[in-house]
Amino acid sequence: MSEKSFNVSCPVPEYSFEKITLGHGSGGILTSQLLEKTVYSLFSNDELNSQHDGAIISPKGRIAISTDSFVVSPIFFPGGNIGDLAINGTMNDLAMCGARPKYLSLALIIEEGLSMEKLWIILHSIKVIADQHGVQVITGDTKVVESGKGDEIFINTTGIGEMLDDVSISANNIKSGDCVIVSGMIATHGMCIMSVRQGLEFRTNLQSDTCYVGDAALALVKELGNDLHFLRDPTRGGVATSLNELVNNTTYDIELDESEIPVLPEARSACEMLGLDPLYVANEGIFIAVVASGSARQALDILQRFDISKQAVCIGKVLEGGRGRVVVRSSLGGKRVAGKLPGDQLPRIC
């Protein structure tokens, strides 16, 4: 699959070199040329341009910080690329804490031989999303490894966000009767990546759902107050893993209604072909909200104001007197335990 398919009107500047070499990671002239032509020109701001080893920031109120690394393969896929995943994923992690993203550090581990065109498209994708949401890239790092040692490019990001007032989002807040809401279709991103890897593109039209979900999530934070108990973006390990982590070592169970769990037909078909359970497949454009039972309708009304969460639905309840399990109730009335994933079902998915 050609990376040119995802070039969203970002003409690549002229360079004196077409591919990354080990010299570009030496810290010398080539490193300076690379950074000046890419990172510094795209993300220019006072903090970044000072070129210190770190950045000093003074946000008002409490701050949240989150860091993540991205090693997805392939680095370009229908609906996005590794750059989209890196910035969206980090901003989403901050939003799940109840924070509005403000700053980002960006570290690149580039494999020798990566084309400048690919690097530019990836960085441009980050730039577009950062600008849309008022996020500044203020520091970072670049390393180059030998050909065959890095799978084109790995990205590490650290995000810093400003907490909204009076936020308390914690697994300790959940109560019996709470409604478990998902903001949209599950398993879309993971099955998009797996379809590309397994050569199933001709049988599906799946695109990754990677996006920033913070506007919808933070609307819940502001409007529900203490009736919003928990937020999580179910990336690696999917919805089942996130919910198992939520009730692990508690006296609660979570019971899911299988008929309410939203999955695109194409994603469901791809799961069936590959023998996968959608509940364990990675997501990049949805989140889980656990809210007080009396506020479930209000929560859904709030989410349906946003394009990314118009398909939000309550998929289950928190039950008291349990054993820290996630139980799935089928449309026929039978039940099965959706336990913890024993290994990595889908490696290199984000």
Side-chain angles (χ1 to χ4, degrees), residues 45-67:
N45 60 69
D46 290 343
E47 288 291 347
L48 183 65
N49 295 343
S50 68
Q51 300 186 26
H52 289 311
D53 285 341
I56 300 172
I57 59 174
S58 300
K60 297 178 182 179
R62 295 182 298 159
I63 64 171
I65 185 168
S66 180
T67 192

Side-chain angles (χ1 to χ4, degrees), residues 32 35 52 119 139 207 254 267 273 275 322:
S32 296
L35 294 178
H52 289 311
L119 178 60
T139 189
Q207 291 201 338
I254 289 178
M273 280 189 279

Side-chain angles (χ1 to χ4, degrees), residues 97-108:
C97 299
R100 190 169 299 283
K102 303 293 287 185
Y103 306 102
L104 190 78
S105 79
L106 177 64
L108 310 173

Side-chain angles (χ1 to χ4, degrees), residues 16-312:
S16 58
F17 47 88
E18 292 185 358
K19 295 185 181 297
I20 303 298
T21 68
L22 284 175
H24 287 109
S26 67
I29 293 175
L30 287 178
T31 300
S32 296
Q33 290 177 349
L34 174 65
L35 294 178
E36 291 292 344
K37 289 287 189 179
T38 58
V39 173
Y40 292 138
S41 66
L42 269 176
F43 302 106
S44 179
N45 60 69
D46 290 343
E47 288 291 347
L48 183 65
N49 295 343
S50 68
Q51 300 186 26
H52 289 311
D53 285 341
I56 300 172
I57 59 174
S58 300
K60 297 178 182 179
R62 295 182 298 159
I63 64 171
I65 185 168
S66 180
T67 192
D68 208 345
S69 298
F70 298 84
V71 296
V72 65
S73 177
I75 61 172
F76 288 87
F77 45 82
N81 61 62
I82 191 172
D84 298 308
L85 290 187
I87 186 166
N88 285 328
T90 302
M91 292 196 305
N92 287 343
D93 285 344
L94 291 171
M96 297 302 104
C97 299
R100 190 169 299 283
K102 303 293 287 185
Y103 306 102
L104 190 78
S105 79
L106 177 64
L108 310 173
I109 301 174
I110 305 171
E111 183 184 20
E112 180 185 23
L114 179 72
S115 73
M116 286 301 300
E117 184 175 20
K118 284 186 177 182
L119 178 60
W120 182 262
I121 294 170
I122 290 166
L123 291 176
H124 187 270
S125 298
I126 296 172
K127 167 70 171 174
V128 168
I129 296 169
D131 287 351
Q132 285 175 350
H133 301 289
V135 172
Q136 285 189 311
V137 176
I138 56 172
T139 189
D141 184 44
T142 302
K143 295 291 191 298
V144 178
V145 297
E146 296 95 332
S147 178
K149 299 290 182 66
D151 207 358
E152 298 197 273
I153 186 171
F154 300 148
I155 298 179
N156 172 270
T157 48
T158 298
I160 297 172
E162 184 178 344
M163 294 290 291
L164 301 188
D165 293 336
D166 301 320
V167 175
S168 176
I169 298 170
S170 169
N172 294 329
N173 295 336
I174 67 170
K175 296 179 175 62
S176 178
D178 281 358
C179 178
V180 178
I181 293 172
V182 291
S183 65
M185 299 288 179
I186 75 168
T188 304
H189 171 74
M191 294 324 301
C192 166
I193 300 298
M194 289 304 295
S195 294
V196 174
R197 287 188 197 166
Q198 301 296 326
L200 303 179
E201 305 104 306
F202 68 96
R203 304 194 62 174
T204 75
N205 294 312
L206 279 174
Q207 291 201 338
S208 171
D209 59 351
T210 177
C211 68
Y212 175 56
V213 301
D215 290 338
L218 294 179
L220 290 181
V221 174
K222 289 188 287 187
E223 298 184 45
L224 292 186
N226 291 334
D227 280 349
L228 174 65
H229 294 162
F230 183 75
L231 290 171
R232 175 65 58 85
D233 56 334
T235 52
R236 282 180 301 174
V239 169
T241 297
S242 293
L243 295 180
N244 270 284
E245 291 172 350
L246 175 60
V247 295
N248 187 39
N249 296 323
T250 73
T251 58
Y252 295 114
D253 281 348
I254 289 178
E255 184 172 290
L256 303 179
D257 183 345
E258 192 167 42
S259 65
E260 294 293 334
I261 299 171
V263 188
L264 285 172
E266 300 96 319
R268 190 180 298 279
S269 295
C271 283
E272 290 172 355
M273 280 189 279
L274 297 174
L276 301 173
D277 184 338
L279 282 170
Y280 292 95
V281 175
N283 309 275
E284 289 292 343
I286 67 165
F287 62 94
I288 296 168
V290 181
V291 305
S293 58
S295 294
R297 183 65 262 168
Q298 182 186 359
L300 292 173
D301 289 342
I302 293 168
L303 293 176
Q304 285 159 7
R305 300 201 308 250
F306 298 88
D307 288 340
I308 64 101
S309 54
K310 283 189 180 297
Q311 295 169 312

